[in-house]
Amino acid sequence: LAGIDYLRAIRDGRFPAAPIARLLGFSLVEVEEGRAVFAVQPAEHHYNPIGLVHGGLLATVLDSAMGCAVHSTLATGGAYTTLEIKVNFTRPVRMDSGLLRCEAKIVHRGKQTATAEGVVRDEQGRVCAHGTTRCCVMAG
């Protein structure tokens, strides 16, 4: 399948989500070519020892959303891998932050590399984290 069709099948429940998404409890809720949105409800099992949601959850959701924005542009048999990721945390997240949404979109799509940016917002629309990625794109 082309990348966008594969991601739509995951979004629609026809294909299983990635194991990391099932483990951490986030899901793909929107996808179109060059854009992906994930959602996650923070829970106690996401907490670090100081009583806040671990930054690794936000980084993982950003990596997934930005990667899927790239994935959505792949032809059948194509692949990608993350080369680098940069994450900025802007506010603490707790269970009462409500549903988090991470929206990512392509900034640049070349033959061998792609870049994307993403933003995680809490239920009130406040930015909790944002980031960028650079991916290696491989033909099928």
Side-chain angles (χ1 to χ4, degrees), residues 111-129:
K111 286 185 177 182
Q112 296 179 331
T113 62
T115 59
E117 60 189 9
V119 178
V120 178
R121 297 181 188 275
D122 66 13
E123 210 163 75
Q124 292 73 42
R126 299 175 296 195
V127 174
C128 301

Side-chain angles (χ1 to χ4, degrees), residues 38-140:
F38 280 79
V40 61
Q41 179 65 52
E44 187 176 5
H45 65 268
H46 295 128
Y47 275 26
N48 60 25
I50 61 172
L52 299 171
V53 169
H54 193 284
L57 175 66
L58 302 177
T60 302
V61 172
L62 275 162
D63 185 42
S64 297
M66 294 184 298
C68 284
V70 172
H71 192 140
S72 72
T73 69
L74 297 177
T76 301
Y80 77 95
T81 190
T82 300
L83 294 171
E84 64 182 346
I85 181 172
K86 166 76 168 110
V87 177
N88 299 283
F89 302 104
T90 58
R91 69 181 314 106
V93 175
R94 298 177 181 83
M95 288 188 296
D96 64 2
S97 297
L99 185 70
L100 303 178
R101 285 178 51 94
C102 179
E103 181 174 355
K105 62 183 180 178
I106 291 283
V107 174
H108 166 78
R109 174 61 159 86
K111 286 185 177 182
Q112 296 179 331
T113 62
T115 59
E117 60 189 9
V119 178
V120 178
R121 297 181 188 275
D122 66 13
E123 210 163 75
Q124 292 73 42
R126 299 175 296 195
V127 174
C128 301
H130 57 95
T132 57
T133 193
R134 183 168 62 99
C135 296
C136 176
V137 178
M138 298 160 276

Side-chain angles (χ1 to χ4, degrees), residues 4-24:
I4 188 71
D5 296 325
Y6 181 75
L7 293 173
R8 286 178 177 149
I10 291 172
R11 177 201 60 198
D12 297 343
R14 291 181 283 126
F15 290 169
I20 189 69
R22 293 192 310 266
L23 177 68
L24 295 179

